[in-house]
Structure formats: structure tokens, C-alpha cells
Amino acid sequence: MFPLRFCLQPKDAKDKKVKKDKKEKKEKKSKKDKEPSSPGAATGGGGVESIPTPSSAAERRDLPPGVSSKAFPLADTDLCTKLLDLVAQAAQLRLLKKGANEATKTLNRGISEFIVCAGDAEPIEILMHLPLLCEDKNVPYVFVPSKVALGRSCGVSRSVIACSVMQQEGSALKAQIEAAKVAIDKLLM
């Protein structure tokens, strides 16, 4: 297995060696932190320091904390409140599917009225297929800032990153759903 010399080495000697290595690494790190940063040091010696600038309108807009810049269109506070109330009513009438997988199924089956996604899903890429599907199927979609608030309005104790409000003939929510669809379409323009 191991040569005998490794087994016979005193434990203290091993500990001292490990402590010494850690101490050396810590000293090197502190030396790097104390060095004055030159313009070329931050860019790897290029000589020109790049200043990060927002490249799109989505990065320039004011976003709530935790919300991804990819979450577009993001509902404002009034629309968000109306949508979450409508989602809560749809959940009581069993016209709601919760979760990204079930929302995808309703889109593929053609029974979805609109999709509500959470802008603070982490990572956001787990639900970025939904806007593409919505655009293919001509179904409105919108992002709300909080997955926790979306979960509460869906009637579950967990956070929900996406939900789909479904169609039903003679539904009591038909007028409210149509008004919400119009409001969501206005966000895109």
C-alpha cells in the first residue's frame, strides 16, 4: 500500500508542513492585495482599462434586486398586483398549471391563455424557453419580480418560477383574462 516511511513519519511533522504551506499561500495573497493596481494590471497587461457599460436597454433600466436583466417584459407594480390576483383566482377555479414543465405542456397543447414567469429564478435560463414557445404560439407572457410572491398567489407554500392560466369555455374570469392579455401586449410595445 504505502511505503513504510510515510506511515512512520510523526504526525506533528505533517501538521507543521501543512501549516507552513497555508501560511505561505496566505502571505502571497496578502502581497497581491497590497500591490497598487496599475491600469494594465486589471486587464492582464493590456494597458487600457475597460469600463463596463450597459450594452442594451434591459441592462440600463432599473430592476428590483435579484431580478435578471433577461426578464423582459417585466410587469410594473400595478400590473403585477393585478396579475397575481388573477393567478390566485385561477388557482381557486383550477384553471392554473404551476411550474415550468406544466406551463410548457399547456403551451404545446394550445390551452394556455397567458404565461407568468418569475424574474428572479436562479438560473434564469431554466425558463427562457418559455418566451420562445409563447412567441411561436402567439401566447402573451410576462415576468413578475418575485418567485415567492408567484408561489403564494398560486396557492402553494413553495416558490413557483412559472405558471400558465388556461382556457375554459364560460369561465367567470374570461373578462379579466382578456384585460390582462391586453395589458401584457402593451408592455411589449
Side-chain angles (χ1 to χ4, degrees), residues 10-24:
K11 188 175 181 180
D12 293 335
K14 288 181 185 178
D15 290 342
K16 288 179 182 177
K17 197 174 204 179
V18 169
K19 287 180 182 179
K20 184 178 178 183
D21 291 341
K22 287 183 180 180
K23 191 174 183 179
E24 288 174 0

Side-chain angles (χ1 to χ4, degrees), residues 44-119:
V48 178
E49 189 173 338
S50 64
I51 299 170
T53 57
S55 60
S56 67
E59 291 177 2
R60 287 182 290 227
R61 63 189 169 134
D62 295 326
L63 294 173
V67 176
S68 173
S69 61
K70 295 179 184 178
F72 180 78
L74 186 66
D76 59 345
T77 54
D78 294 334
L79 180 59
C80 183
T81 305
K82 290 178 184 176
L83 285 172
L84 293 178
D85 287 341
L86 182 58
V87 165
Q89 291 174 2
Q92 289 177 350
L93 295 175
R94 304 276 188 208
L95 296 176
L96 187 75
K97 292 291 183 182
K98 299 169 281 290
N101 289 342
E102 290 190 21
T104 304
K105 289 177 193 176
T106 61
L107 280 170
N108 289 333
R109 293 177 185 153
I111 58 173
S112 179
E113 287 284 342
F114 64 90
I115 301 290
V116 181
C117 301

